[in-house]
Amino acid sequence: MISMLLELKEKYFKVCVHVAILLLSIVVTIPQTGYAASLKKDQIAKVSVNKAGAVKRVYTLEMLGAKEDLHLYGVDGRRKVHFGIRNDEVVTSAQLDLEYSYSPALLNRISQINVLLNGYTVASYPVGKKFPSEGSLKISLNPYMMDEYNTITFQLIGHYTIEECEYPNHTSLWGVISKRSILTMKTQKINFKADLEHLPEPFFDKRDGSQLILPVVFSGNVSLNSIKAAGIVASWFGKYADYRGAKFPVLFDSLPKRGNAVVLVSGKTSAIQGVESMSFDGATISIRPNPNDPFGHLLFVTGQDDEDLLKTATALALGQVMLSGISSRVLSLEMPPVRRAYDAPRWLPSDRAATFGELTEQGLLQVEGGRADSIRVKFRYPPDLFSWRDAGADVYLKHRYSATSIEGNGRLNISFNKNFMKSQALKVAAMDKSKADWWEKTSEKWLDQDAFSEENFNIPSAWFGFNNQFEFQYYLEGAVGKCQEVPGRYFRGAISPDSTIDVSDVPHFTKMPNIGMFSKSGYPFTKQADLSETAVIFPDEVDADSIYAFLELMAMMGNSTGYPVIRVAVDHGAAIAKYDDRDLLVIGSLASASLFKHLSSDMPVQMNAGRLQMNDMSSVDFSEKIFFGKQARDDEIERGGKLLFESGGNLGVITSFESPWKSGRSVVVVAASGNKSVKSVADSIVGNSNLDAVYGDTVFLKSAINKGEAQAIKINKRKTTKQQAHRQVVYSERVLLKEQYDNIVLFNFSDEYYAGELPFWTWLFWWFSNSPWALFIVSLIAVTLVGLVAYTLMRSRAKRRLAGKSE
Amino acid sequence: MKAIFSTFLEAYVFPSWLKVVLSATAFFMMVFVVTVPMDLEKQAWFGFFVYCLALMLKGRSHRIFTFLMIALSILVSTRYMYWRLTESVDFESYFQIFMASGLLLAELYAFMTLLLGYFQTIWPLNRMPVKLPENKKDWPTVDIYIPSYNEPLKVVRPTVLGAMALDWPKEKLNIFVLDDGRREEFADFCAEVGITHITRTDNNHAKAGNINAALPQTNGDIIAIFDCDHIPVTTFLKLNMGFFLEDEKLALVQTPHHFYSPDPFERNLKTFRKVPNEGELFYGLLQSGNDFWNAAFFCGSCALIRRDMLLEVGGIAVETVTEDAHTALKLHALGYHSVFCAIAQAGGLATESVSAHVGQRIRWGRGMAQIFRTDNPLFKRGLKIGQRLCYFNGMAHFFYGLPRIVFLTAPLAYLFLDLHIITTSALMIAAFVLPHLALSTLTNSRLQGHVRHSFWAEVYETVMSPFLLAPTTVALINPKLGKFNVTEKGGLVEKEYFDGAIAKPLLIMFILDFVGLIVGFVRMLLGDGSNTDTLVLNIIWTVYNLIIISASLGVCMETRQQRESHRIPIAMRGMLRFDNGRTVKTRSIDMSEGGLSFERGSGCDVAPGSGVTVVLFSNEQEYVFEGEIANVFKDRYCISFNDMDIEAEKEMVGFLFCRPNSWKTWADEREADKPMQSLLDVIYKGVEGTKKITMSTLFGR
């Protein structure tokens, strides 16, 4: 009886918890990754928060993934945008400011534009005088209809005639929703009791498409181990933050005024203002409210000493702690084996074929309807893929689909990284049984009716980037003529998860140094996902800016690989020689003597008596150097010189060269000179897609740029009409582009070297292919040998012939 | 150092295992060099290095450097072909496939010809005559066959007289005129000079049948065959017979055909004695090269054949229209040997008009194609590999018709139709094709420079190609089709005229290429997209084609052939005894069957019409001719001979054609090949040709 009661109580309690969670987080559903991805890191919404926790978020549709204006075609045209709502916020009101236009040919009464929120029609505008063919609309969206992931659908029901029949794809049936339409949401932060179980929430919420900014608080003396611990935690958050990017403002002994933070403490007590009274008990992870902000939380990562702290951070990153409640103790840490090269979870395996199933969720591998969106398969590939001649990836593609009814009206278009590869005609169902031959009739009995195709093709390695994307688009042509059904309404197509992509034949071998590769993927450090062959070198006096840069870069690497940087080595400049067998990432001020003592002779750029100096300047032929990844033009050279001159030595510098200790190993220096901070340099690396395209070895940055932030600022200035505001956005983007251009200059100073290894024969061909003189020598030797042997043979034959013999 | 190297080279014999090791190593290295891919810049450097090396090797005289140049040329050309096949072929449409593969096949043909050419001429065997035994009893008996069908007696007379003058024991020498024309005057002439006149009742199998019909009627050990216009020098038999005595398996000795009159190319382009003609390449090099592989073949005339071996293969072959080569092929297949003695020992007349020349080549081409079909040397039993390849090359040569036309029109595909028949950038093509062309030109210039000047062969081939195309193709399909045509000789081209029938295909190609060139320039001016380099490449190619075609057109402009008998330059000391009793010691300039001219010193006036006795000395022998002064010029006397009796005619023929060194020094003054100079000459002739054709067609001049 009592047990029954207990059971009931337990059930009741569980129900209560569920209700509470429901109330707290509005609605909890299974997360779907596809949604938030439509938000890009360089389009961060303008967000403002007040002390009471009221948040105002402003998005343009472009920020929500509409790269182009949304065009609606045909009798039933639909386009969608998606947005998410943070778990620790509830929406109080939402409004859509729509800019639209539609075809003047649309008929009154029966033509309409509908707006649907999560499938429910929230607004329906019949074409007519009240709703002119061009204009703007305010639509308020009911917050109660919102989920954590939401879809707004724009639908055009268009008709141009009231006759019985019309062309469903008539050209006059169109409507446009501007990508500059704005979604404004007011939300309220919720005061809730956080639980470790939900980590990384509330510190990171995947529904939120904006950049993760999470302060890291150090207590007392900052040791190398605590920096490393912070780096591991940063990489762990970086993995989650993914495309959003993550920044970690560094605080010593003080908590942020508002919001969340990670706090690292070694020892029993901390020197942090506001939590002096707290005591800590060894290796634990705990979550507490931020005393400065009722809506903020602090993630405490603690240890008896720095070693212990490191252990806690590693355990957290590896998921080796039972996380529940507000505090969990790290019982033991079992270090996983050292990662092998190129085995990062987010990278395509390069030692075997990978199935599409392991790259993408199966649910995303199928589509419905004859005009459905593409099926996308995304993956990352080690950037040092050897891209020379016919090396490439072998793809085996298998797919099923509803056989089409009309010969030749269905196609599967295959693209890779926006490069169109091929188009395959879909099979036609045998409609007319009488025409089927005996084989078709017989086979029908045991073969199912779905069409099934498989195909092998090759992707040239030159098409690969770090981030790669397959696009498979099923496309059904409509029948021509009036009164036709919209094509393929019930069409289904699915790419088999057993399809494979195999790059195991492609060797890893690439020309270095390459700043673009580093800024895109963290290569060469990320070659080992746990950074086991990386050492990060700091100046003797580690300052907050250097740590900031370090954490941001570690987060970038965590994002690149999907694995925390648990084996990275962190040390001071003086000990650099200890890491002669590692790739080195050097962070700090260019003026720091201790940092560059052992490197200065090899560095292309350095500080000398307070002046920026380029090593062996005489060898730099400006006419041959590369700016923005192409051959320099005169004006660019001039611009480069001007930039260096105007900066007055206040520059961010990223430079890379071969390790003086071991060939094939790299050194990447992320540094600043003058009054420039290394912090902004790191921001530039992570936030600047312009750097991705470069392949120089030295980059100078005049000022850090962050397109997203700048754009948000511009939008903030918007006070006048919407159209003016739009113009302003366009203008500000242009300014930004120019600023970016004006603020970066690239050089090639260093000698090139190669990382990776080629199979012997490939290497031989590759090497000779680049060395015409060597191939000439081989030719000479071969020709001489052949000539000598042939000469002696022919000579003796000639003698025999002249002696009157046949041979 | 040089001497040490040279001694080592001559004396050292590689052990066979080392040969195998070295060859294998070199082979793999060459395969490697052929297959290594390169981008534009690197390939350009590689080509430049190779070219420099070729220039360094070019000037060195030792034969080893020939071998090195051949190897280098093969290497670079194979690299080009490999690149061409793997990187520059991309099929876009059926029409493009058709055009692109046409060019590709033409290039493959040219590549094959290049390789076979190197093989054939790797070591031209310049034989020295073998001494005959002292005892004349051991010398074999010889039957001289002079077949004739429709040639005038005037042409045959000197040949018969020359044959009679052959230095050979009279009892061992029998001369037969095989008269398929069954003409009385021939019979009379033979009776007069005391030789045998053989006829038969039919004309089956033409010359081959003629000879075969004569075989049972004669019984000499060795049969010497002379075309009715090939006059042998007196030492012909003495020089060549030694080979038979030395090698008992020897079936055939072939000697060059020397033409003392210009062929129509030489006459119309005015290159006689300056640029070697086609025959010189063949007799001056290819046959010597064939001889090295025991593959020198019978050319229908100026040759000695052992009777029993000829009978063993059933006489002269009658299945094909090139009975000579086919007979030799059969002899070789039985394991018999052949020898080519590269000393010109008989002089003859070249074809007198372009159409006749073309006709002759058509016959050769058809015949070779027939042999290729019916008795393919690649598969015929009993042949050695060298013989197979040499014969194969001899036959493959005549299939140049189509490839030549393809090369002459290929750039039009781009200029007119914008078809990319080589699907890669023009600069890339240049980087690969230039070393290939440069090396093969330089190497061939070294191998053949003394008998063939660069680029001239293209002119010869261009004239011939439209006409060779059909007969060779027909013969390939059905070897029985096509008729035998006799090569006309000894005629006159009485006035300058334009041979429209021969020129027609050339004119069409000329107009096409010319319009193509204009289209190219127009496209260039209009700024045709980004493909300027492709345009430039095709324009350059078209210009080159136009040069070759216009030089070929020049050939079709027949120039006047004034004299009935051809003057042969003879510079020899002699005396003139005039009627008035004065004697002048002077030197001869040239001579023909009708007369001769002498250098004239000052102060000796003789009126035209007065009689003169000419005394000439050669080889310590005195020749005396009676004649009269025909003309007196400032620097020369022109003398025409009086009517001669047989004895006098014999003496004249003996002096004019049959001196042992008659044909020895005629090419001495000619310069060796300089490819660039050759190109300039061809360009010059091209411009001249175009001018003449334009004048002739527009103004009827």
Side-chain angles (χ1 to χ4, degrees), chain A residues 7-18:
Chain A
E7 213 176 281
L8 256 176
K9 194 184 166 189
E10 211 173 287
K11 271 186 182 170
Y12 180 66
F13 177 74
K14 272 187 182 169
V15 171
C16 283
V17 169
H18 280 275

Side-chain angles (χ1 to χ4, degrees), chain A residues 9-78:
Chain A
K9 194 184 166 189
E10 211 173 287
K11 271 186 182 170
Y12 180 66
F13 177 74
K14 272 187 182 169
V15 171
C16 283
V17 169
H18 280 275
V19 170
I21 290 168
L22 270 171
L23 282 172
L24 280 172
S25 56
I26 320 298
V27 182
V28 178
T29 53
I30 300 154
Q32 283 173 286
T33 51
Y35 279 65
S38 54
L39 282 175
K40 293 296 169 206
K41 66 177 173 188
D42 52 354
Q43 293 166 335
I44 292 145
K46 177 240 160 186
V47 185
S48 59
V49 194
N50 69 9
K51 214 164 189 180
V55 187
K56 187 180 169 194
R57 294 173 186 272
V58 181
Y59 305 95
T60 63
L61 293 191
E62 194 180 2
M63 293 176 196
L64 300 180
K67 290 281 169 218
E68 309 289 334
D69 287 340
L70 300 172
H71 291 263
L72 311 168
Y73 292 120
V75 292
D76 181 10
R78 292 163 193 248

Side-chain angles (χ1 to χ4, degrees), chain A residues 195-216:
Chain A
D195 194 308
L196 286 175
E197 199 182 345
H198 299 125
L199 275 183
E201 288 175 34
F203 303 97
F204 164 79
D205 193 321
K206 58 180 174 288
R207 301 159 196 89
D208 186 351
S210 45
Q211 193 177 39
L212 174 65
I213 298 174
L214 184 62
V216 171

Side-chain angles (χ1 to χ4, degrees), chain B residues 9-130:
Chain B
L9 210 55
E10 295 315 318
Y12 186 70
V13 178
F14 289 101
S16 51
W17 66 267
L18 187 59
K19 272 181 206 162
V20 171
V21 169
L22 291 183
S23 314
T25 314
F27 176 75
F28 281 113
M29 286 167 100
M30 285 181 117
V31 168
F32 181 73
V33 172
V34 164
T35 51
V36 164
M38 271 185 179
D39 62 18
L40 176 63
E41 186 201 334
K42 306 286 171 15
Q43 169 63 23
W45 277 113
F46 178 71
F48 177 71
F49 293 148
V50 169
Y51 180 66
C52 290
L53 178 65
L55 288 184
M56 281 166 61
L57 296 177
K58 198 182 83 163
R60 295 171 193 269
S61 56
H62 197 286
R63 200 195 280 267
I64 183 73
F65 295 109
T66 309
F67 277 77
L68 296 190
M69 279 187 78
I70 289 175
L72 197 62
S73 170
I74 291 176
L75 183 66
V76 171
S77 294
T78 313
R79 183 170 160 76
Y80 167 71
M81 282 320 297
Y82 179 82
W83 170 83
R84 186 78 177 77
L85 285 167
T86 55
E87 305 269 320
S88 69
V89 183
D90 190 8
F91 292 145
E92 285 155 1
S93 67
Y94 288 111
F95 186 57
Q96 190 255 11
I97 289 175
F98 174 72
M99 301 294 274
S101 50
L103 181 60
L104 198 61
L105 289 174
E107 286 192 69
L108 280 170
Y109 169 84
F111 177 62
M112 182 192 76
T113 312
L114 182 76
L115 296 188
L116 286 173
Y118 288 152
F119 179 82
Q120 197 175 17
T121 55
I122 190 96
W123 198 299
L125 214 56
N126 293 315
R127 285 178 187 274
M128 295 316 285
V130 175

